[in-house]
Amino acid sequence: MTCNWSEFSLETQGIRAGQTRTAEQEHNDPIFTTSSYVFNSAAEAAARFSGQSPGNIYSRFTNPTVRAFEQRLAAMEGGQRCIAVASGMAAIATVGFGLLKAGDHVVSSRSVFGNTVLLLRNYFAKFGVQSSFVDLADLAAWEKAIRPDTRFLFLETPSNPLTEIADIKQLAALAHAHGCLLIVDNCFCTPALQRPLLLGADIVIHSATKYLDGQGRCVGGAIVGAHDLLEKEIYPFLRTGGPAMSPFNAWVFLKGLETLAIRMRAHSENALGLAEWLEQQSWVERVYYPGLASHPQHALALSQQKSGGGIVSFEVAGGKEGAWKLIDSTRLLSVTANLGDVKTTIIHPGTTTHARLTDEERAAAGIRDGLVRIAVGLENLGEIIQDLQAFAA
Ligand SMILES: Cc1ncc(COP(=O)(O)O)c(C=O)c1O
Protein backbone atom coordinates (compact mmCIF):
# COMPACT_ATOMS: atom_id res chain seq x y z
CA MET A 1 0.00 0.00 0.00
CA THR A 2 1.40 3.43 -0.92
CA CYS A 3 0.25 6.09 1.53
CA ASN A 4 0.97 9.72 2.20
CA TRP A 5 2.24 9.05 5.71
CA SER A 6 2.16 12.73 6.70
CA GLU A 7 -1.64 12.40 6.84
CA PHE A 8 -1.47 9.69 9.54
CA SER A 9 -1.08 9.87 13.31
CA LEU A 10 2.26 9.21 14.97
CA GLU A 11 1.01 5.87 16.35
CA THR A 12 0.15 4.62 12.84
CA GLN A 13 3.30 6.08 11.25
CA GLY A 14 5.41 4.24 13.84
CA ILE A 15 3.89 0.90 12.84
CA ARG A 16 3.30 1.29 9.11
CA ALA A 17 5.45 4.00 7.49
CA GLY A 18 8.49 2.94 5.48
CA GLN A 19 7.61 -0.69 4.83
CA THR A 20 7.89 -1.92 1.22
CA ARG A 21 6.90 -5.58 0.84
CA THR A 22 9.08 -7.79 -1.33
CA ALA A 23 7.73 -10.42 -3.76
CA GLU A 24 7.60 -12.82 -0.74
CA GLN A 25 4.65 -10.80 0.68
CA GLU A 26 6.12 -10.89 4.20
CA HIS A 27 4.01 -9.21 6.89
CA ASN A 28 6.92 -8.16 9.12
CA ASP A 29 9.87 -6.05 7.90
CA PRO A 30 12.70 -8.25 6.50
CA ILE A 31 16.41 -7.76 7.29
CA PHE A 32 18.59 -7.32 4.21
CA THR A 33 21.98 -8.59 5.32
CA THR A 34 23.87 -7.94 2.13
CA SER A 35 26.84 -5.68 1.59
CA SER A 36 26.31 -5.23 -2.15
CA TYR A 37 23.70 -5.62 -4.92
CA VAL A 38 23.93 -7.06 -8.43
CA PHE A 39 23.13 -5.21 -11.64
CA ASN A 40 21.49 -6.70 -14.75
CA SER A 41 24.09 -5.17 -17.06
CA ALA A 42 27.18 -2.97 -17.18
CA ALA A 43 24.95 -0.13 -18.37
CA GLU A 44 22.65 -0.54 -15.35
CA ALA A 45 25.66 -0.52 -13.01
CA ALA A 46 26.96 2.67 -14.63
CA ALA A 47 23.54 4.36 -14.40
CA ARG A 48 23.25 3.49 -10.69
CA PHE A 49 26.74 4.72 -9.86
CA SER A 50 26.23 7.98 -11.74
CA GLY A 51 22.91 8.57 -9.99
CA GLN A 52 20.98 8.51 -13.28
CA SER A 53 18.84 5.61 -12.10
CA PRO A 54 17.79 5.06 -8.47
CA GLY A 55 18.43 1.82 -6.61
CA ASN A 56 20.76 -0.04 -4.30
CA ILE A 57 24.51 -0.01 -4.87
CA TYR A 58 26.37 -0.87 -1.66
CA SER A 59 25.14 -1.03 1.96
CA ARG A 60 27.43 1.72 3.24
CA PHE A 61 24.86 4.11 1.79
CA THR A 62 21.93 2.09 0.35
CA ASN A 63 20.20 -0.73 2.23
CA PRO A 64 16.46 -1.50 2.18
CA THR A 65 16.15 -2.21 5.93
CA VAL A 66 18.04 0.96 6.83
CA ARG A 67 15.88 2.86 4.31
CA ALA A 68 12.69 1.53 5.93
CA PHE A 69 13.89 2.83 9.30
CA GLU A 70 14.82 6.20 7.74
CA GLN A 71 11.43 6.60 6.09
CA ARG A 72 9.53 5.63 9.24
CA LEU A 73 11.46 8.04 11.46
CA ALA A 74 11.24 10.86 8.88
CA ALA A 75 7.44 10.46 8.81
CA MET A 76 7.26 10.49 12.62
CA GLU A 77 9.43 13.63 12.96
CA GLY A 78 7.53 15.43 10.18
CA GLY A 79 10.72 15.59 8.07
CA GLN A 80 11.20 14.87 4.38
CA ARG A 81 14.42 12.87 4.66
CA CYS A 82 16.28 10.88 7.30
CA ILE A 83 19.85 9.58 7.19
CA ALA A 84 20.56 6.69 9.56
CA VAL A 85 24.08 6.34 10.95
CA ALA A 86 26.07 4.14 13.34
CA SER A 87 25.47 6.05 16.61
CA GLY A 88 24.14 9.30 18.03
CA MET A 89 27.67 10.71 18.05
CA ALA A 90 28.10 9.63 14.41
CA ALA A 91 24.93 11.63 13.64
CA ILE A 92 26.40 14.80 15.17
CA ALA A 93 29.81 14.24 13.55
CA THR A 94 28.19 13.56 10.15
CA VAL A 95 26.15 16.78 10.34
CA GLY A 96 29.35 18.65 11.24
CA PHE A 97 31.40 17.12 8.42
CA GLY A 98 28.58 17.80 5.99
CA LEU A 99 27.79 21.39 6.92
CA LEU A 100 30.99 22.95 8.27
CA LYS A 101 34.17 24.27 6.70
CA ALA A 102 37.27 25.92 8.16
CA GLY A 103 36.44 29.42 9.38
CA ASP A 104 32.86 28.52 10.38
CA HIS A 105 31.50 28.99 13.88
CA VAL A 106 28.94 27.05 15.94
CA VAL A 107 26.91 28.21 18.92
CA SER A 108 25.95 25.34 21.22
CA SER A 109 24.08 25.04 24.48
CA ARG A 110 26.47 24.38 27.36
CA SER A 111 24.08 21.66 28.57
CA VAL A 112 24.57 19.09 25.82
CA PHE A 113 25.91 15.54 26.04
CA GLY A 114 29.58 15.67 27.13
CA ASN A 115 30.90 14.01 23.96
CA THR A 116 29.12 16.63 21.86
CA VAL A 117 31.09 19.33 23.69
CA LEU A 118 34.32 17.37 23.15
CA LEU A 119 33.54 16.85 19.45
CA LEU A 120 33.07 20.59 18.93
CA ARG A 121 35.85 21.74 21.25
CA ASN A 122 38.58 19.15 20.54
CA TYR A 123 37.90 17.81 17.04
CA PHE A 124 36.02 20.33 14.89
CA ALA A 125 38.37 22.97 16.35
CA LYS A 126 41.30 21.04 14.76
CA PHE A 127 39.73 21.74 11.35
CA GLY A 128 39.36 25.47 12.03
CA VAL A 129 35.77 25.51 13.32
CA GLN A 130 35.26 27.59 16.45
CA SER A 131 32.45 27.00 18.95
CA SER A 132 30.86 29.18 21.64
CA PHE A 133 28.84 27.71 24.51
CA VAL A 134 25.84 29.47 26.07
CA ASP A 135 23.17 28.84 28.70
CA LEU A 136 20.31 26.90 27.11
CA ALA A 137 17.45 29.11 28.30
CA ASP A 138 19.18 32.50 27.88
CA LEU A 139 17.93 33.84 24.52
CA ALA A 140 20.01 37.04 24.82
CA ALA A 141 23.17 34.95 25.27
CA TRP A 142 22.41 32.96 22.09
CA GLU A 143 21.88 36.20 20.15
CA LYS A 144 25.07 37.74 21.51
CA ALA A 145 27.12 34.66 20.60
CA ILE A 146 26.00 34.59 16.94
CA ARG A 147 28.63 35.92 14.50
CA PRO A 148 28.58 36.50 10.73
CA ASP A 149 30.40 33.16 10.29
CA THR A 150 28.00 31.16 12.53
CA ARG A 151 26.66 28.16 10.57
CA PHE A 152 24.31 26.61 13.13
CA LEU A 153 22.93 26.66 16.67
CA PHE A 154 22.89 23.31 18.51
CA LEU A 155 20.87 22.24 21.55
CA GLU A 156 19.13 19.48 23.49
CA THR A 157 15.80 20.12 25.20
CA PRO A 158 15.09 19.09 27.91
CA SER A 159 18.74 19.27 28.93
CA ASN A 160 20.59 16.41 30.59
CA PRO A 161 20.51 16.03 33.58
CA LEU A 162 18.80 19.21 34.84
CA THR A 163 15.82 19.15 32.42
CA GLU A 164 16.09 22.81 31.43
CA ILE A 165 13.92 23.76 28.45
CA ALA A 166 14.83 25.75 25.32
CA ASP A 167 12.14 27.67 23.46
CA ILE A 168 12.53 25.96 20.06
CA LYS A 169 10.28 28.41 18.15
CA GLN A 170 12.16 31.45 19.44
CA LEU A 171 15.58 29.95 18.76
CA ALA A 172 14.55 28.88 15.25
CA ALA A 173 13.41 32.45 14.52
CA LEU A 174 16.69 33.80 15.92
CA ALA A 175 18.79 31.36 13.89
CA HIS A 176 16.93 32.13 10.65
CA ALA A 177 17.12 35.90 11.21
CA HIS A 178 20.92 35.49 11.21
CA GLY A 179 21.07 33.07 8.27
CA CYS A 180 21.93 30.07 10.51
CA LEU A 181 20.37 26.65 10.95
CA LEU A 182 18.87 25.33 14.20
CA ILE A 183 19.81 21.73 15.09
CA VAL A 184 17.97 19.97 17.94
CA ASP A 185 19.08 16.70 19.55
CA ASN A 186 15.63 15.19 20.23
CA CYS A 187 16.90 12.11 22.03
CA PHE A 188 15.11 12.75 25.36
CA CYS A 189 11.63 13.45 23.97
CA THR A 190 11.58 11.56 20.65
CA PRO A 191 8.92 12.53 18.09
CA ALA A 192 6.33 10.86 20.31
CA LEU A 193 6.54 13.85 22.68
CA GLN A 194 8.13 16.68 20.68
CA ARG A 195 8.62 17.43 16.98
CA PRO A 196 11.23 20.21 16.66
CA LEU A 197 10.99 20.39 12.84
CA LEU A 198 7.34 21.44 13.17
CA LEU A 199 8.44 24.19 15.60
CA GLY A 200 10.94 25.61 13.10
CA ALA A 201 14.14 23.60 13.64
CA ASP A 202 16.06 22.63 10.49
CA ILE A 203 17.64 19.34 11.59
CA VAL A 204 16.78 16.81 14.29
CA ILE A 205 19.47 14.50 15.68
CA HIS A 206 18.82 11.18 17.40
CA SER A 207 20.75 8.72 19.42
CA ALA A 208 18.56 5.77 18.36
CA THR A 209 20.38 3.86 21.09
CA LYS A 210 17.99 5.40 23.62
CA TYR A 211 14.19 5.49 23.37
CA LEU A 212 13.96 4.61 19.64
CA ASP A 213 15.34 1.18 20.50
CA GLY A 214 13.73 1.31 23.92
CA GLN A 215 15.23 -1.89 25.29
CA GLY A 216 18.94 -1.14 25.42
CA ARG A 217 20.02 -3.50 22.61
CA CYS A 218 21.69 -1.58 19.77
CA VAL A 219 23.73 1.56 19.13
CA GLY A 220 22.56 3.82 16.29
CA GLY A 221 21.80 7.38 15.27
CA ALA A 222 19.79 9.44 12.82
CA ILE A 223 19.58 12.84 11.17
CA VAL A 224 16.19 14.17 10.00
CA GLY A 225 15.34 17.31 8.03
CA ALA A 226 14.45 18.80 4.66
CA HIS A 227 15.17 16.66 1.60
CA ASP A 228 17.50 19.03 -0.26
CA LEU A 229 19.55 20.04 2.77
CA LEU A 230 20.21 16.42 3.76
CA GLU A 231 20.59 15.09 0.24
CA LYS A 232 23.02 17.75 -0.94
CA GLU A 233 25.01 18.59 2.18
CA ILE A 234 24.98 15.55 4.47
CA TYR A 235 24.30 12.34 2.51
CA PRO A 236 27.49 12.72 0.40
CA PHE A 237 29.51 12.50 3.65
CA LEU A 238 27.75 9.25 4.63
CA ARG A 239 28.65 7.80 1.22
CA THR A 240 32.28 8.90 1.46
CA GLY A 241 32.99 8.91 5.20
CA GLY A 242 31.08 5.69 5.87
CA PRO A 243 29.47 5.94 9.36
CA ALA A 244 26.71 3.54 8.27
CA MET A 245 24.00 1.88 10.39
CA SER A 246 23.93 -1.92 10.18
CA PRO A 247 20.77 -3.51 8.70
CA PHE A 248 20.29 -5.62 11.84
CA ASN A 249 20.33 -2.53 14.06
CA ALA A 250 17.95 -0.76 11.67
CA TRP A 251 15.56 -3.69 12.01
CA VAL A 252 15.70 -3.52 15.84
CA PHE A 253 14.99 0.24 15.68
CA LEU A 254 12.07 -0.39 13.28
CA LYS A 255 10.57 -2.69 15.92
CA GLY A 256 11.27 -0.03 18.58
CA LEU A 257 9.43 2.65 16.60
CA GLU A 258 6.33 0.45 16.51
CA THR A 259 5.89 0.82 20.27
CA LEU A 260 7.46 4.27 20.73
CA ALA A 261 4.24 6.27 21.23
CA ILE A 262 2.85 3.89 23.83
CA ARG A 263 6.22 3.53 25.63
CA MET A 264 6.85 7.29 25.83
CA ARG A 265 3.40 7.77 27.36
CA ALA A 266 4.15 5.11 29.95
CA HIS A 267 7.70 6.45 30.66
CA SER A 268 6.19 9.92 31.25
CA GLU A 269 3.45 8.59 33.54
CA ASN A 270 5.94 6.64 35.68
CA ALA A 271 8.38 9.59 35.75
CA LEU A 272 5.70 12.05 36.84
CA GLY A 273 4.59 9.67 39.60
CA LEU A 274 8.17 9.24 40.79
CA ALA A 275 8.89 13.01 40.64
CA GLU A 276 5.77 13.77 42.70
CA TRP A 277 6.81 11.17 45.28
CA LEU A 278 10.39 12.50 45.43
CA GLU A 279 9.10 16.03 46.08
CA GLN A 280 7.50 14.71 49.29
CA GLN A 281 10.67 13.09 50.69
CA SER A 282 12.57 14.89 53.47
CA TRP A 283 15.95 13.64 52.15
CA VAL A 284 15.35 15.19 48.71
CA GLU A 285 16.38 18.84 48.45
CA ARG A 286 15.17 19.60 44.93
CA VAL A 287 13.52 17.75 42.03
CA TYR A 288 14.08 18.58 38.35
CA TYR A 289 11.27 17.32 36.10
CA PRO A 290 9.50 19.41 33.42
CA GLY A 291 6.19 17.62 34.02
CA LEU A 292 6.00 19.01 37.60
CA ALA A 293 4.04 22.23 38.13
CA SER A 294 6.97 23.38 40.31
CA HIS A 295 9.42 23.23 37.35
CA PRO A 296 10.26 26.88 36.48
CA GLN A 297 9.63 26.25 32.76
CA HIS A 298 6.66 23.89 33.14
CA ALA A 299 4.37 25.98 30.89
CA LEU A 300 6.98 26.29 28.12
CA ALA A 301 7.76 22.56 28.36
CA LEU A 302 4.12 21.57 27.94
CA SER A 303 3.66 24.06 25.08
CA GLN A 304 6.16 22.07 22.99
CA GLN A 305 6.21 18.60 24.60
CA LYS A 306 3.20 16.29 25.04
CA SER A 307 4.42 15.34 28.53
CA GLY A 308 7.50 15.52 30.75
CA GLY A 309 9.40 12.49 29.39
CA GLY A 310 11.24 9.79 31.31
CA ILE A 311 14.18 11.59 32.97
CA VAL A 312 13.97 12.78 36.58
CA SER A 313 16.92 14.36 38.40
CA PHE A 314 17.06 15.37 42.05
CA GLU A 315 19.43 16.54 44.75
CA VAL A 316 19.91 14.28 47.76
CA ALA A 317 20.78 15.75 51.17
CA GLY A 318 24.37 14.98 52.17
CA GLY A 319 26.09 15.80 48.86
CA LYS A 320 28.08 13.11 47.07
CA GLU A 321 28.04 10.80 50.09
CA GLY A 322 24.24 10.97 50.28
CA ALA A 323 23.85 10.43 46.52
CA TRP A 324 26.22 7.41 46.49
CA LYS A 325 24.49 5.93 49.55
CA LEU A 326 21.12 6.16 47.79
CA ILE A 327 22.49 4.57 44.61
CA ASP A 328 24.19 1.76 46.56
CA SER A 329 21.01 1.03 48.53
CA THR A 330 18.98 0.17 45.41
CA ARG A 331 18.47 -3.47 44.42
CA LEU A 332 16.09 -3.29 41.47
CA LEU A 333 17.36 -0.21 39.62
CA SER A 334 20.36 -0.61 37.29
CA VAL A 335 23.41 1.52 38.06
CA THR A 336 24.29 2.52 34.49
CA ALA A 337 24.52 5.72 32.48
CA ASN A 338 22.32 4.59 29.60
CA LEU A 339 18.76 5.86 29.36
CA GLY A 340 15.65 5.24 27.31
CA ASP A 341 15.34 1.61 28.39
CA VAL A 342 12.33 -0.23 29.81
CA LYS A 343 14.64 -0.92 32.78
CA THR A 344 15.01 2.01 35.20
CA THR A 345 18.58 3.30 35.47
CA ILE A 346 20.21 5.45 38.18
CA ILE A 347 23.48 7.37 38.00
CA HIS A 348 25.52 10.05 39.82
CA PRO A 349 26.28 12.55 37.00
CA GLY A 350 29.00 14.44 38.93
CA THR A 351 31.32 11.39 39.04
CA THR A 352 30.29 9.63 35.81
CA THR A 353 28.71 11.35 32.80
CA HIS A 354 30.05 14.77 33.81
CA ALA A 355 33.27 13.67 35.54
CA ARG A 356 35.49 14.90 32.69
CA LEU A 357 34.38 18.51 33.25
CA THR A 358 36.50 20.72 35.50
CA ASP A 359 35.03 21.69 38.89
CA GLU A 360 34.27 25.17 37.49
CA GLU A 361 32.56 23.77 34.37
CA ARG A 362 30.49 21.40 36.53
CA ALA A 363 29.47 24.27 38.81
CA ALA A 364 28.56 26.44 35.75
CA ALA A 365 26.44 23.57 34.43
CA GLY A 366 24.64 23.31 37.81
CA ILE A 367 25.79 19.72 38.45
CA ARG A 368 25.96 19.65 42.24
CA ASP A 369 27.50 16.87 44.35
CA GLY A 370 24.16 15.53 45.60
CA LEU A 371 22.60 15.28 42.13
CA VAL A 372 21.19 11.90 41.04
CA ARG A 373 19.59 11.15 37.65
CA ILE A 374 16.99 8.45 37.15
CA ALA A 375 15.88 7.38 33.67
CA VAL A 376 12.53 5.97 34.67
CA GLY A 377 11.67 2.66 33.03
CA LEU A 378 8.44 0.75 32.70
CA GLU A 379 8.57 -1.45 35.79
CA ASN A 380 5.74 -1.11 38.32
CA LEU A 381 5.99 2.42 39.77
CA GLY A 382 5.27 1.23 43.33
CA GLU A 383 8.21 -1.17 43.11
CA ILE A 384 10.57 1.53 41.75
CA ILE A 385 9.58 3.72 44.71
CA GLN A 386 9.99 0.79 47.13
CA ASP A 387 13.56 0.31 45.87
CA LEU A 388 14.40 3.97 46.65
CA GLN A 389 12.58 3.89 49.98
CA ALA A 390 15.09 1.37 51.38
CA PHE A 391 17.59 4.24 51.58
CA ALA A 392 15.58 6.21 54.14
CA ALA A 393 14.71 3.14 56.24
C1 LIG B 1 21.35 13.56 24.26
C2 LIG B 1 22.32 12.60 23.66
N1 LIG B 1 22.77 12.81 22.41
C3 LIG B 1 23.68 11.98 21.83
C4 LIG B 1 24.17 10.89 22.50
C5 LIG B 1 25.16 9.99 21.82
O1 LIG B 1 24.53 8.85 21.36
P1 LIG B 1 25.28 7.44 21.11
O2 LIG B 1 25.66 6.93 22.45
O3 LIG B 1 24.26 6.63 20.40
O4 LIG B 1 26.47 7.75 20.28
C6 LIG B 1 23.71 10.61 23.79
C7 LIG B 1 24.23 9.42 24.51
O5 LIG B 1 24.04 9.24 25.68
C8 LIG B 1 22.78 11.50 24.39
O6 LIG B 1 22.33 11.29 25.65
Side-chain angles (χ1 to χ4, degrees):
M1 179 164 124
T2 310
C3 292
N4 179 1
W5 292 112
S6 65
E7 290 170 2
F8 285 81
S9 65
L10 184 109
E11 288 83 356
T12 304
Q13 290 167 341
I15 292 168
R16 297 278 180 181
Q19 188 176 9
T20 312
R21 293 215 167 92
T22 71
E24 300 296 340
Q25 292 284 74
E26 68 282 351
H27 190 208
N28 190 25
D29 306 88
I31 311 180
F32 284 89
T33 52
T34 178
S35 42
S36 72
Y37 305 84
V38 291
F39 310 107
N40 289 315
S41 64
E44 189 181 77
R48 289 267 176 92
F49 270 80
S50 71
Q52 270 173 338
S53 82
N56 300 314
I57 299 174
Y58 186 67
S59 280
R60 185 186 332 110
F61 54 100
T62 48
N63 178 276
T65 314
V66 174
R67 193 178 313 123
F69 165 71
E70 290 173 338
Q71 290 179 357
R72 190 167 296 177
L73 184 60
M76 295 173 85
E77 282 287 3
Q80 296 167 335
R81 175 79 162 96
C82 169
I83 296 172
V85 289
S87 69
M89 288 320 300
I92 301 169
T94 299
V95 165
F97 276 113
L99 294 181
L100 297 169
K101 62 178 186 326
D104 280 348
H105 172 247
V106 171
V107 185
S108 170
S109 156
R110 218 184 293 287
S111 311
V112 291
F113 183 51
N115 284 304
T116 307
V117 176
L118 297 181
L119 186 65
L120 290 167
R121 206 173 55 191
N122 296 356
Y123 294 94
F124 288 160
K126 286 208 291 190
F127 298 98
V129 174
Q130 290 185 345
S131 298
S132 307
F133 296 90
V134 297
D135 288 346
L136 178 68
D138 185 347
L139 190 69
W142 285 95
E143 183 153 27
K144 202 164 155 224
I146 294 175
R147 310 187 325 204
D149 52 3
T150 303
R151 182 75 172 103
F152 61 73
L153 315 185
F154 188 96
L155 60 91
E156 291 168 20
T157 180
S159 71
N160 177 20
L162 296 181
T163 72
E164 261 191 303
I165 307 294
D167 188 325
I168 298 175
K169 269 190 196 158
Q170 271 191 352
L171 282 165
L174 179 71
H176 299 156
H178 289 83
C180 316
L181 301 173
L182 177 66
I183 304 182
V184 177
D185 183 331
N186 200 26
C187 169
F188 272 35
C189 275
T190 82
L193 302 186
Q194 168 176 279
R195 299 208 266 181
L197 298 177
L198 305 187
L199 298 169
D202 300 283
I203 291 179
V204 159
I205 296 287
H206 274 288
S207 165
T209 319
K210 308 295 182 314
Y211 291 105
L212 303 192
D213 174 331
Q215 295 181 49
R217 297 163 291 191
C218 291
V219 175
I223 304 153
V224 193
H227 181 273
D228 284 0
L229 177 66
L230 265 60
E231 198 61 32
K232 289 187 188 140
E233 304 215 35
I234 297 174
Y235 182 66
F237 178 78
L238 171 74
R239 183 167 178 165
T240 309
M245 175 180 281
S246 86
F248 176 78
N249 287 8
W251 183 83
V252 172
F253 298 136
L254 272 169
K255 299 299 99 189
L257 291 181
E258 291 177 0
T259 56
L260 184 68
I262 200 167
R263 279 188 290 108
M264 291 312 292
R265 243 189 334 263
H267 278 292
S268 289
E269 271 171 31
N270 260 2
L272 179 60
L274 179 66
E276 285 172 347
W277 177 80
L278 285 166
E279 269 195 323
Q280 307 302 319
Q281 306 312 303
S282 57
W283 46 271
V284 175
E285 291 179 340
R286 182 166 173 191
V287 182
Y288 302 86
Y289 182 65
L292 283 176
S294 60
H295 189 286
Q297 295 170 294
H298 178 64
L300 172 63
L302 292 196
S303 74
Q304 58 187 26
Q305 300 175 207
K306 270 195 194 148
S307 55
I311 310 296
V312 180
S313 295
F314 53 100
E315 274 158 23
V316 177
K320 183 185 123 183
E321 208 180 306
W324 278 27
K325 195 170 160 217
L326 169 71
I327 291 168
D328 291 344
S329 72
T330 60
R331 292 288 167 266
L332 183 72
L333 275 45
S334 314
V335 185
T336 174
N338 201 24
L339 57 95
D341 197 310
V342 290
K343 296 187 176 85
T344 299
T345 65
I346 185 166
I347 200 78
H348 181 243
T351 50
T352 58
T353 53
H354 292 68
R356 281 190 285 175
L357 300 183
T358 62
D359 289 348
E360 293 73 37
E361 283 174 324
R362 237 186 337 271
I367 313 289
R368 294 159 65 114
D369 288 348
L371 191 75
V372 171
R373 186 195 75 191
I374 295 188
V376 187
L378 303 186
E379 302 96 335
N380 176 280
L381 175 61
E383 286 160 1
I384 296 172
I385 288 176
Q386 207 174 34
D387 206 38
L388 292 165
Q389 242 163 355
F391 163 74

